[in-house]
């Protein structure tokens, strides 16, 4: 009888300890998410002044600015993590296009407001990259832990499920410059360059 009680107590200890470890990993996800979400909100607040500065200097590029403002509005209207992540990616893409073409326009290089806003946005982007990495690492650690023995049994019994909301970027989106320019001229046809 003592052996049965000891075995039951050992299993209970393993379950409670394993469940606590999984909860700790879930808490790290939530903490990392709050950090990333705060930076996303900060960047979202930087968009209107940047858009106004660009609009005043390049009135012919309304569609690019409209894309940024629509992406920002979408980001403000969603609440679930996967939707926020997707809206954040659309805003990142739209901002990258606007900033890339603004960088090629000499009028912006001499505009102190634009330079200040661009520096603020760059600092925020760096903070966001760090927050995304921390969040993704926390999600990966949690997902790995609930798949390994004996945590997988504990996770199944306690109802823990895999977290699917990751920040994703592709090498293509990080390196591909957008094919647009601020100008009143007709766009030139794109030509392929042989490597």
């Amino acid at each position: 009888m003592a052996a049965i009680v000891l075995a039951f107590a050992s299993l209970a200890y393993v379950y409670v300890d394993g469940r606590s470890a999984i909860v700790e990993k879930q808490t790290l996800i939530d903490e990392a998410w709050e950090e990333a979400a705060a930076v996303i909100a900060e960047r979202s607040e930087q968009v209107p002044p940047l858009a106004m500065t660009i609009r005043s200097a390049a009135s012919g590029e309304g569609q690019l600015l409209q894309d940024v403002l629509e992406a920002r509005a979408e980001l403000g209207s969603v609440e679930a993590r996967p939707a926020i992540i997707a809206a954040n990616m659309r805003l990142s893409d739209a901002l990258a296009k606007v900033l890339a073409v603004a960088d090629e326009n000499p009028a912006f290089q001499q505009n102190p407001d634009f330079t200040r806003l661009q520096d603020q946005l760059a600092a925020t982007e760096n903070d966001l990259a760090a927050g995304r990495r921390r969040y993704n690492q926390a999600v990966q650690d949690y997902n790995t832990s609930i798949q390994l023995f004996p945590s997988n049994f504990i996770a199944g019994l306690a109802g823990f499920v895999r977290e699917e909301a990751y920040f994703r970027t592709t090498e293509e989106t990080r390196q591909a410059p957008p094919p647009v320019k601020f100008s009143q001229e007709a766009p030139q046809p794109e030509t392929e360059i042989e490597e």
Side-chain angles (χ1 to χ4, degrees):
M1 186 62 138
I4 294 173
V5 170
L6 182 60
F8 181 74
S10 295
L11 287 175
Y13 174 78
V14 168
Y15 175 80
V16 170
D17 187 52
R19 188 178 190 291
S20 295
I22 294 171
V23 168
E24 285 176 19
K25 291 185 183 297
Q26 252 186 347
T27 302
L28 291 175
I29 291 173
D30 292 340
E31 290 172 1
W33 175 255
E34 292 302 320
E35 177 185 316
V39 179
I40 289 170
E42 179 183 341
R43 183 182 64 173
S44 183
E45 292 305 315
Q46 293 171 343
V47 168
L50 181 68
M52 286 186 344
T53 301
I54 291 172
R55 183 175 286 139
S56 68
S59 59
E61 298 299 335
Q63 186 57 50
L64 286 174
L65 294 175
Q66 187 63 31
D67 292 346
V68 169
L69 295 174
E70 286 174 5
R72 179 183 183 262
E74 179 186 353
L75 183 59
S77 69
V78 294
E79 294 181 15
R81 280 185 196 171
I84 292 171
I85 289 171
N88 176 65
M89 285 304 299
R90 281 189 281 286
L91 180 58
S92 292
D93 291 345
L95 280 171
K97 288 176 183 175
V98 167
L99 291 174
V101 293
D103 277 343
E104 294 179 12
N105 186 327
F108 287 107
Q109 306 308 321
Q110 299 167 355
N111 183 329
D113 289 336
F114 174 76
T115 311
R116 180 181 49 80
L117 290 167
Q118 187 180 31
D119 290 346
Q120 287 175 353
L121 190 59
T124 303
E125 289 292 338
N126 289 337
D127 292 344
L128 183 54
R132 284 191 308 251
R133 280 191 299 274
R134 182 172 176 239
Y135 172 79
N136 282 350
Q137 185 62 53
V139 169
Q140 183 178 352
D141 289 348
Y142 166 79
N143 286 342
T144 300
S145 75
I146 66 170
Q147 293 174 332
L148 297 176
F149 179 82
S151 296
N152 58 344
F153 290 115
I154 296 166
L157 290 172
F160 292 102
V161 294
R162 183 172 169 77
E163 176 65 60
E164 298 295 336
Y166 279 98
F167 286 97
R168 301 184 197 284
T169 57
T170 63
E171 196 63 28
E172 182 180 300
T173 58
R174 284 194 297 263
Q175 293 183 356
V180 290
K181 295 187 186 247
F182 279 110
S183 71
Q184 300 297 331
E185 301 171 10
Q188 299 295 320
E190 293 184 25
T191 59
E192 287 190 22
I193 298 174
E194 298 282 330
E195 291 186 24

